[in-house]
């Protein structure tokens, strides 16, 4: 698993890889790829959180502003499919440096966009660069790390799902409230420039492999990237445009399904595909992809739902919500390698670690489902601690189990599939959780108002003489005042929001249970890579 490259033999076929020495120079290069990958995730989340400030600064209305997020995410997920192929063709070192520098360049000019069309176009280009970075991290970890350190490399990859999203809230509030909204985009420039230099110093230079263009999967690239991009746009814009009631949503959905069907048929028979679908016959890889997609939904219970509660019910700003997310994010720098060290012990079954992680995250959802309007930020801290331990314990065993059945030449195929599922899973999770929470909020609001209308004392009570009105209406049915009626409406909305969030936590508990059942049935036991080498010796 630690072989670095796949040279071409004189006959044109793949030769045995030539190993690279694992030394300080290579470690510096790998850290550079990690920095760039973390910047990609931070750029996506911070921009989403600070979108209101960015729209205000650039005079962008809400409808075009929604396409700012959708265009970036569509380009990002599409690029995840293509990046490993181009990295193998142009060399990992060249491609990583070019992507990191391109990512920084677009970030530098984005605040100076003259209009919304240019802004969205630049975001699409930046999404392509940003989406190409995380697959390079997994590809490098599978390719360069010796068996003893392989799990630590995968723990670094896991940070892109557990660390970045949970520190984004604090960073977004810092840039917009303290420094300046432009730094929402410029924040990635210094670390990406440093990452480019580290990659140039530490990653070995492979030869160009232009012969791969002779077997280029042109049909797969066109149908796969455009199909997945249209699917992301469908999911991202569906709620705003009322789903299938919108001709645009119907057109994008049917087009994406047709393109993806052609893509899958093409990938099965192509000699050099983007996705090697035959690999899905391996139970551990199929389990890893399914579970990773489900985890992207489940992990929204960590910072997204508590943040939504604090902002919508108590009117907190991002700066006030940030400490909650940091409770999950910052410990990952220590917990991720600790979980990797635990999984490196041969007597520990990674499937049990995964079940424990799902139990901690699911348990946090269970206790959170008892949420009330009286909860404050302090009520969430111990639940966030459960998330902090549970998230790496869930993600790392999935990566360990899936990559254990991947041979060195198959690393790019696995990286493309994993990162595409991860990117699409994040979009699906946000869509499902957002739509479900909104629907349940509307349901509870209707129930509360119907109940209030059927019980007259809830809507109208005599004035108690101390300046406090217990209900919005006078006994004759007229409104006491517009202010009192507005306060009553806000009270109903807050209560409906709380009940909707409670139902959403219950939904996520079912996701955790489904993933636990899948883990009990599908994967085979995986042993640490270094113990397999010793056993073979």
């Amino acid at each position: 698993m630690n072989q670095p490259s796949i040279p071409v033999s004189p006959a044109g076929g793949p030769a045995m890889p030539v190993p690279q020495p694992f030394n300080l120079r290579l470690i510096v290069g790998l850290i550079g790829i990690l920095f760039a990958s973390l910047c990609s995730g931070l750029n996506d989340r911070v921009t989403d959180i600070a979108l209101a400030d960015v729209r205000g600064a650039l005079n962008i209305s809400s409808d075009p502003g929604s396409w700012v997020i959708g265009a970036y995410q569509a380009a990002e997920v599409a690029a995840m499919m293509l990046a490993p192929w181009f990295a193998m063709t142009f060399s990992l070192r060249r491609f990583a440096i070019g992507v990191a520098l391109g990512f920084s360049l677009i970030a530098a000019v984005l605040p100076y966009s003259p209009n919304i069309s240019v802004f969205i176009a630049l975001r699409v280009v930046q999404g392509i660069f940003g989406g190409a970075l995380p697959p390079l991290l997994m590809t490098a970890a599978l390719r360069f790390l010796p068996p003893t350190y392989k799990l630590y490399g995968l723990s670094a990859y896991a940070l892109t799902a557990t660390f970045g999203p949970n520190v984004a809230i604090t960073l977004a509030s810092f840039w917009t409230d303290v420094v300046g909204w432009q730094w929402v985009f410029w924040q990635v420039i210094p670390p990406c420039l440093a990452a480019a230099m580290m990659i140039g110093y530490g990653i070995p230079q492979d030869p160009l492999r232009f012969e791969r263009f002779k077997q280029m999967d042109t049909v797969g690239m066109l149908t796969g990237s455009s199909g997945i991009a249209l699917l992301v746009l469908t999911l991202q814009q569906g709620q705003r445009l009322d789903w299938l009631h919108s001709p645009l949503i119907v057109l994008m959905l049917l087009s994406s399904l047709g393109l993806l069907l052609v893509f899958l048929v093409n990938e099965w028979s192509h000699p050099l595909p983007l996705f090697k679908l035959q690999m899905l016959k391996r139970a551990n890889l199929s389990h890893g992809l399914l579970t990773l997609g489900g985890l992207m939904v489940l992990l929204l219970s960590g910072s997204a739902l508590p943040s939504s509660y604090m902002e919508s019910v108590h009117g907190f700003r991002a700066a006030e919500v940030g400490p909650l997310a940091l409770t999950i994010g910052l410990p990952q720098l220590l917990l991720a390698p600790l979980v990797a060290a635990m999984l490196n012990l041969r007597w520990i079954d990674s499937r049990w670690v995964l079940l424990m992680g799902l139990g901690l995250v699911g348990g946090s959802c269970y206790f959170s489902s008892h949420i009330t309007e009286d909860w404050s930020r302090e009520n969430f801290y111990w639940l966030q601690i459960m998330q902090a331990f549970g998230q790496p314990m869930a993600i790392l065993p999935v990566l360990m189990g899936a990559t254990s059945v991947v041979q060195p030449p198959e690393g790019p195929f696995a990286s493309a599939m994993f990162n595409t599922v991860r990117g699409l899973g994040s979009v699906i999770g946000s869509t499902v959780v957002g739509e479900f929470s909104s629907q349940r909020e509307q349901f509870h609001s209707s129930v509360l108002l119907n109940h209030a209308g059927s019980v007259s004392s809830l809507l109208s009570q005599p004035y108690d003489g101390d300046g406090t009105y217990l209900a919005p209406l006078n006994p004759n049915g007229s409104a006491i005042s517009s202010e009192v009626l507005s306060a009553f409406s806000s009270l109903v909305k807050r209560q409906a929001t709380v009940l909707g969030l409670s139902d959403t936590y219950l939904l996520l508990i079912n996701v955790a249970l489904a993933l636990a059942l899948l883990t009990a049935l599908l994967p085979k036991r995986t042993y640490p890579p270094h113990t397999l080498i010793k056993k073979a010796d």
Side-chain angles (χ1 to χ4, degrees):
M1 298 296 293
N2 62 323
Q3 307 297 336
S5 60
I6 312 171
V8 179
S9 67
M16 289 301 295
V18 178
Q20 293 287 340
F22 184 69
N23 51 29
L24 180 60
R25 184 166 184 164
L26 181 58
I27 292 173
V28 170
L30 293 173
I31 293 175
I33 298 179
L34 173 61
F35 282 176
S37 300
L38 290 175
C39 286
S40 172
L42 283 174
N43 178 75
D44 186 12
R45 287 291 298 137
V46 170
T47 306
D48 291 357
I49 294 167
L51 182 61
D53 296 273
V54 173
R55 285 196 294 106
L58 296 176
N59 196 27
I60 300 173
S61 60
S62 59
D63 285 351
S66 67
W67 290 98
V68 171
I69 297 176
Y72 182 92
Q73 291 179 338
E76 180 183 42
V77 179
M80 289 178 175
M81 302 179 70
L82 307 177
W85 190 93
F86 284 100
M88 290 291 294
T89 303
F90 294 105
S91 85
L92 179 61
R93 181 174 181 266
R94 289 190 187 93
F95 188 71
I97 293 174
V99 168
L101 293 178
F103 192 63
S104 303
L105 177 62
I106 300 298
V109 301
L110 265 169
Y112 302 107
S113 302
N115 53 57
I116 181 62
S117 299
V118 173
F119 185 78
I120 291 178
L122 289 174
R123 284 289 285 173
V124 169
V125 177
Q126 191 183 40
I128 294 173
F129 287 131
L133 288 169
L136 302 184
L137 178 58
M138 173 173 278
T139 301
L142 292 175
R143 174 178 159 181
F144 291 119
L145 291 175
T148 305
Y149 301 104
K150 178 184 168 187
L151 290 179
Y152 294 101
L154 294 178
S155 73
Y157 175 80
L159 288 176
T160 62
T162 57
F163 174 78
N166 288 302
V167 301
I169 296 177
T170 299
L171 281 176
S173 63
F174 178 72
W175 300 133
T176 56
D177 296 349
V178 180
V179 181
W181 66 270
Q182 295 90 341
W183 281 92
V184 168
F185 304 104
W186 293 346
Q187 63 174 341
V188 303
I189 297 177
C192 276
L193 292 179
M197 290 187 289
M198 296 169 73
I199 294 168
Y201 170 77
I203 298 298
Q205 179 61 68
D206 296 332
L208 294 170
R209 300 185 59 194
F210 291 140
E211 74 279 358
R212 289 169 56 87
F213 281 101
K214 297 178 181 178
Q215 293 183 304
M216 185 176 180
D217 186 8
T218 306
V219 173
M221 289 182 177
L222 293 176
T223 58
S225 59
S226 56
I228 206 76
L230 286 172
L231 181 57
V232 170
L233 287 174
T234 300
L235 294 169
Q236 201 273 333
Q237 294 290 323
Q239 186 175 17
R240 186 180 69 86
L241 298 178
D242 199 17
W243 293 108
L244 298 181
H245 295 286
S246 166
L248 177 60
I249 293 296
V250 173
L251 177 62
M252 290 195 300
L253 177 60
L254 293 178
S255 300
S256 69
L257 294 178
L259 288 167
L260 290 175
L261 178 60
V262 174
F263 169 74
L264 294 175
V265 173
N266 176 78
E267 296 307 281
W268 185 263
S269 57
H270 198 279
L272 191 63
L274 300 177
F275 287 8
K276 192 174 182 180
L277 298 179
Q278 290 81 357
M279 293 170 62
L280 296 178
K281 297 177 181 178
R282 305 165 195 176
N284 281 28
L285 182 61
S286 297
H287 169 262
L289 292 171
L290 291 171
T291 306
L292 183 64
L295 284 174
M296 292 300 100
V297 181
L298 184 59
L299 297 190
L300 291 173
S301 62
S303 60
L305 292 186
S307 299
S308 176
Y309 168 82
M310 299 304 296
E311 292 170 0
S312 58
V313 175
H314 293 295
F316 279 28
R317 288 180 55 81
E320 298 169 301
V321 178
L324 276 179
L326 288 179
T327 307
I328 300 176
L330 291 182
Q332 299 308 312
L333 299 174
L334 177 63
L335 291 176
L338 284 178
V339 173
M342 178 173 62
L343 292 173
N344 253 336
L345 301 175
R346 183 177 174 83
W347 56 272
I348 291 182
D349 190 334
S350 61
R351 295 173 297 181
W352 285 107
V353 177
L354 171 56
L355 291 174
M356 290 173 61
L358 291 172
L360 286 170
V361 177
S364 172
C365 292
Y366 170 76
F367 291 115
S368 298
S369 68
H370 295 81
I371 190 173
T372 70
E373 193 177 345
D374 297 327
W375 277 33
S376 63
R377 190 171 62 187
E378 284 68 28
N379 292 93
F380 285 99
Y381 275 118
W382 69 282
L383 300 173
Q384 300 296 86
I385 293 174
M386 293 177 65
Q387 291 272 350
F389 280 89
Q391 290 188 14
M393 293 176 66
I395 292 179
L396 267 175
V398 170
L399 298 176
M400 174 183 175
T403 56
S404 68
V405 296
V406 176
Q407 299 302 315
E410 298 171 328
F413 302 125
S415 179
M417 288 191 285
F418 256 91
N419 285 278
T420 303
V421 168
R422 178 200 154 190
L424 186 60
S426 297
V427 177
I428 292 175
S430 298
T431 301
V432 169
V433 169
E435 181 69 18
F436 182 83
S437 180
S438 176
Q439 293 293 331
R440 295 306 295 173
E441 179 182 338
Q442 294 176 23
F443 169 79
H444 288 297
S445 179
S446 177
V447 170
L448 290 171
L449 290 175
N450 288 337
H451 179 64
S454 65
V455 182
S456 59
S457 61
L458 295 177
L459 290 179
S460 61
Q461 291 183 359
Y463 175 53
D464 63 5
D466 65 353
T468 301
Y469 295 92
L470 305 178
L473 304 180
N474 290 309
N476 63 2
S478 63
I480 294 175
S481 69
S482 59
E483 291 80 6
V484 173
L485 194 61
S486 177
F488 179 79
S489 175
S490 298
L491 177 64
V492 172
K493 179 175 176 56
R494 287 198 304 272
Q495 189 59 39
T497 299
V498 170
L499 293 172
L501 286 172
S502 177
D503 290 348
T504 304
Y505 278 117
L506 294 176
L507 170 69
L508 293 177
I509 292 173
N510 289 320
V511 173
L513 291 174
L515 295 179
L517 180 61
L518 186 67
T519 301
L521 296 177
L522 189 56
K524 301 176 182 178
R525 178 169 183 184
T526 301
Y527 291 94
H530 69 93
T531 64
L532 297 178
I533 297 296
K534 291 179 180 179
K535 185 177 180 180
D537 292 340

